[in-house]
Amino acid sequence: MSLPCIGVKETKGFYINIGASLGRTTQNWVDINLFGHQITFIKAGKFHFNNPNYVFEGKILPSFHFGIILDLKTWNSIYAKLKEQSLNVVTESTFLKDKMGEHTSFFIKDPNDYMLEFKSFKKSKDIFNS
């Protein structure tokens, strides 16, 4: 995935802080290893996304976001770390309780206004099943 970013330095700092690692980088772009998934951020200056929301199980969630699937131990570790740093963690909840696809989730916004959803599924075999 490749996305525009406002600033490479700020973007690198945010993702390193949440536990990602750096890949290749230049002054104008950076590859991020986000728990085994590559995201390339390319410096593009200011940009705007219209971020509508939707309602799922009574919670208002951002329509424009991407998900990071983690095991529960890693999820708990990252959640605790981000809460300890007083970052704006949004909507920590368990969705689809006692149903296929049950997962615990929270959202956080990066410096470019992208919303990241960190998920941990109760049963990993249900991640892509419906």
Side-chain angles (χ1 to χ4, degrees), residues 54-62 65 75 90-107 117-123 126:
Y54 70 103
V55 177
F56 182 67
E57 295 191 340
K59 304 265 189 214
I60 298 173
L61 303 174
H65 69 276
W75 187 95
V90 181
T91 314
E92 186 278 319
S93 188
T94 297
F95 295 102
L96 301 170
K97 184 81 173 152
D98 298 322
K99 298 178 186 169
M100 183 180 301
E102 179 178 336
H103 63 280
T104 303
S105 182
F106 71 86
F107 291 82
E117 179 182 16
F118 287 82
K119 299 177 171 189
S120 181
F121 283 80
K122 184 174 182 179
K123 297 178 183 173
D126 290 346

Side-chain angles (χ1 to χ4, degrees), residues 4-8 10-11 42-47 111-114:
C5 73
I6 297 167
V8 172
E10 296 81 4
T11 300
I42 301 167
K43 187 175 180 179
K46 292 194 175 213
F47 57 92
N112 303 296
D113 285 339
Y114 295 118

Side-chain angles (χ1 to χ4, degrees), residues 69-70 100-101 119 121 123-130:
I69 300 169
L70 304 167
M100 183 180 301
K119 299 177 171 189
F121 283 80
K123 297 178 183 173
S124 62
K125 68 179 182 70
D126 290 346
I127 292 172
F128 294 108
N129 290 333
S130 57

Side-chain angles (χ1 to χ4, degrees), residues 3 27 72 79 124:
L3 300 169
Q27 184 177 357
L72 188 58
Y79 181 73
S124 62

